Amino acid sequence: MATGVERWVEELARLFEPKRVYWCDGSEAEAHRLIEAGMLEEKIAHHNVFYELNQRNWPKAYLHRSHPTDVARTEQLTFVCHPEQDQAGPNNNWMPIPKAKALMTKLSKGAMRGRTMYVLPYVMGPLDSPYAKACVQVTDVSYVAVSMRIMTRLGSHVLKKIGSGDNFVKGIHSVGDFDPNRRYIMHFPREGLVWSIGSGYGGNALLGKKCFSLRIASYLGLRQGWLAEHMVIMGIEDIKGHTTYITAAMPSACGKTNLAMLESALPEYKVTTVGDDIAWMGTGLDGRLYAINPEAGFFGVAPGTGMSTNPNMVRTLKASNFYPTLYTNVALDLDRNEPWWEGLGPPPPRLADWQGRPWDPASKTKAAHPNSRFTVSLYNCPTISPEVDNPKGVPVSAILIGGRRSHLMPLVVEAFDWTHGVFIGARTGSETTAAAAGAVGALRRDPFAMLPFCGYNMGDYFRHWMNQGALMRTPPKIFAVNWFRVDENGTFVWPGFGDNMRVLKWILDRVHGRVGARETPIGLVPHVEDLNLDGLGIPCSKIEKLFEVRPAEWKGELKDIRKFFDRFGRQIPYEMRNHYDKMEKSLKA
Ligand code: SAT
Ligand code: MN
């Protein structure tokens, strides 16, 4: 008798008509075979799927060049399909379920003709965790198959876990003809299904990542009483060996990966890494919040990653335990056959840009695509936390919510309490980056950095956050952070990176009740003398500016927040309206 997975795959094979169906076992030998084959035959935009890089200096490294129109998430083509539009909310594109299914069926017909359908059984989460979810994705791209092996716990063992039934999350992926006009990323949260056609880009094609672990899982969390969040999970170990765990939400390409493995500027502290992108969190029996990382790898932004900004990521990339490491749309050093991107070091004399064209340093274009990425195993990371596979997760003492704001927002602000923290998370705005297609640098509200990833109405999401706080005996403290404030000349005031530990130390001091704070209309900020600024070389007056709240500047911000909240109408929790009114009043006073 065929199992549930087998029946589902047969059905898909009838629809997509691939040349053959290949069940991935997740072994290293298999990854070798897929890469060897990708170096020879399959082509994307005239390039082979994989290209071998200098194995001596960059062990197990391969370059992948995507279709030039397919380099970032396409939010305008991403849909969340619930029975009613209101359930998807103003934060999502919506289509009625039958219409979406009919459209995807039509686009899928024969879409894999002449190609291989890879079947990928995988688990999100540590294998023995009660949160772990068994999933199966089909795809017609070996790049996606190999990437999923790095990013998830993938292998035949998952089929045993699923057994004969059909209790698994389903992912259907085909690149079709890469036509942006026939590109759709469709989510069906109520049946645990993602269906994606037309794009091979990570966030659109690695369906265990944003599609399942955030959009679908956030909806599971709503129904089952837990949270799926766009957050880093990290431990901060002090000199006595005591570790405090924090999570941090930030929009894509705002430094989450750098934070997750930060090399501390303060020698008394050491960071350990649990995850750099996604946290699943729920209340434990002791009334504390616990977090697991559902992923097993990093899909990080390459530009801006170098020995001075994120040495631990460079070490991760150069480590050679887990096979392989992939580089997507970075530049190529033609003499040394090595990957290169802006921020790695000085440009070598002869470079090919991300599309393989000779690059002229005088041309002012970037050699690596601004959203070029690496895909590398978490287990290569020198700062990996010993708790990374703990099925229970790690206890969370503080939640940070960040954005990229050149003005207005202080370096760090502590929320008055949990409901105020939810208000802070909900009103968070950030200047846009290259991780999504569209304009870069425009301000958009991005609550909890989840705007593109919440799989249901965000009004209900804010209510869910309020309720979660009530479940906890000792909820984490909530903080807003902003590393990106600039001065009159437009230069960043705060050095960021390893020096962010100075902010984290203050957060730890607050968590452990060691320092006081100053009240402002928007929350609690540090007394500057409580910050460790040793050796920083920035005058105190300048640091003080980082905590200035100038009411006159907040007018536009208040209006914009109100406008954003109004989009959710009655769904906005009354606690948030109250916090808004209080903040408005005290800013006017
Ligand atoms: O969406 S991805 O997972 O590809 C990367 C990101 O935008 O965070
Ligand atoms: Mn992300």
Side-chain angles (χ1 to χ4, degrees), residues 73 210 230 232 248-260 276-277 299-305 310 370-371 373 401-406 428-436 440-444 446 448-449 453 481-484 492 494 496-497 500:
R73 276 182 291 103
K210 298 305 202 303
H230 193 200
V232 166
M250 281 165 206
S252 305
C254 288
K256 281 205 305 299
T257 307
N258 293 345
L259 180 68
D276 81 324
D277 197 37
F299 181 63
V301 181
T305 307
N310 191 345
N371 195 36
R373 299 265 173 170
I401 298 157
R404 183 183 281 270
R405 295 297 299 265
S406 39
T428 298
S430 191
E431 286 143 28
T432 50
T433 70
V440 169
L443 178 71
R444 78 163 177 183
D446 190 355
F448 292 87
F453 306 121
V481 296
N482 174 31
W483 321 131
F484 300 95
F492 291 120
W494 185 248
F497 305 109
N500 287 337

Side-chain angles (χ1 to χ4, degrees), residues 119-374:
V119 182
L120 316 170
Y122 66 97
V123 165
M124 297 311 288
L127 295 178
D128 305 320
S129 172
Y131 287 101
K133 297 279 181 302
C135 313
V136 182
Q137 173 174 343
V138 301
T139 180
D140 54 0
V141 197
S142 59
Y143 165 75
V144 171
V146 175
S147 300
M148 287 292 284
R149 177 174 174 272
I150 301 169
M151 296 303 298
T152 74
R153 293 162 174 89
L154 185 149
S156 326
H157 60 277
V158 180
L159 293 173
K160 288 204 194 85
K161 189 178 157 104
I162 296 171
S164 60
D166 52 11
N167 184 10
F168 58 98
V169 176
K170 300 176 176 76
I172 307 173
H173 174 250
S174 165
V175 289
D177 54 7
F178 288 102
D179 184 342
N181 297 314
R182 286 193 287 273
R183 181 174 295 164
Y184 289 97
I185 298 95
M186 291 282 185
H187 301 74
F188 303 91
R190 282 159 206 255
E191 55 182 294
L193 166 66
V194 187
W195 198 336
S196 165
I197 303 272
S199 167
Y201 173 72
N204 297 335
L206 312 181
L207 302 185
K209 198 173 175 58
K210 298 305 202 303
C211 299
F212 170 56
S213 290
L214 289 178
R215 295 197 190 95
I216 302 269
S218 62
Y219 179 72
L220 288 178
L222 173 72
R223 289 206 317 202
Q224 301 169 353
W226 52 281
L227 295 162
E229 296 299 327
H230 193 200
M231 289 181 181
V232 166
I233 311 171
M234 62 199 277
I236 305 169
E237 191 183 323
D238 66 18
I239 204 155
K240 297 193 190 111
H242 178 259
T243 301
T244 305
Y245 293 93
I246 68 169
T247 65
M250 281 165 206
S252 305
C254 288
K256 281 205 305 299
T257 307
N258 293 345
L259 180 68
M261 54 192 71
L262 159 160
E263 189 152 84
S264 173
L266 303 177
E268 325 72 279
Y269 293 94
K270 201 181 92 186
V271 161
T272 55
T273 311
V274 182
D276 81 324
D277 197 37
I278 298 176
W280 287 352
M281 307 193 289
T283 304
L285 292 174
D286 59 357
R288 296 192 67 187
L289 186 68
Y290 283 81
I292 65 157
N293 173 11
E295 301 191 279
F298 303 115
F299 181 63
V301 181
T305 307
M307 277 315 275
S308 61
T309 54
N310 191 345
N312 286 319
M313 184 46 91
V314 177
R315 290 174 194 127
T316 303
L317 296 173
K318 296 226 172 184
S320 53
N321 5 350
F322 190 95
Y323 179 92
T325 296
L326 305 181
Y327 296 86
T328 303
N329 293 339
V330 300
L332 176 65
D333 176 340
L334 292 167
D335 295 313
R336 300 164 69 108
N337 196 34
E338 293 182 15
W340 189 85
W341 51 81
E342 283 76 10
L344 181 63
R350 285 190 335 117
L351 268 179
D353 75 2
W354 63 277
Q355 294 185 69
R357 303 168 304 197
W359 183 71
D360 176 4
S363 73
K364 289 216 170 92
T365 60
K366 303 273 187 218
H369 188 277
N371 195 36
S372 54
R373 299 265 173 170
F374 45 72

Side-chain angles (χ1 to χ4, degrees), residues 410 413-414 416 420 424 427 520-524 549 554 583 587:
V413 180
E414 181 186 327
F416 299 126
H420 185 238
I424 286 188
R427 66 128 178 82
T520 77
I522 62 167
L524 304 165
V549 180
W554 275 76
M583 176 170 91
L587 279 168

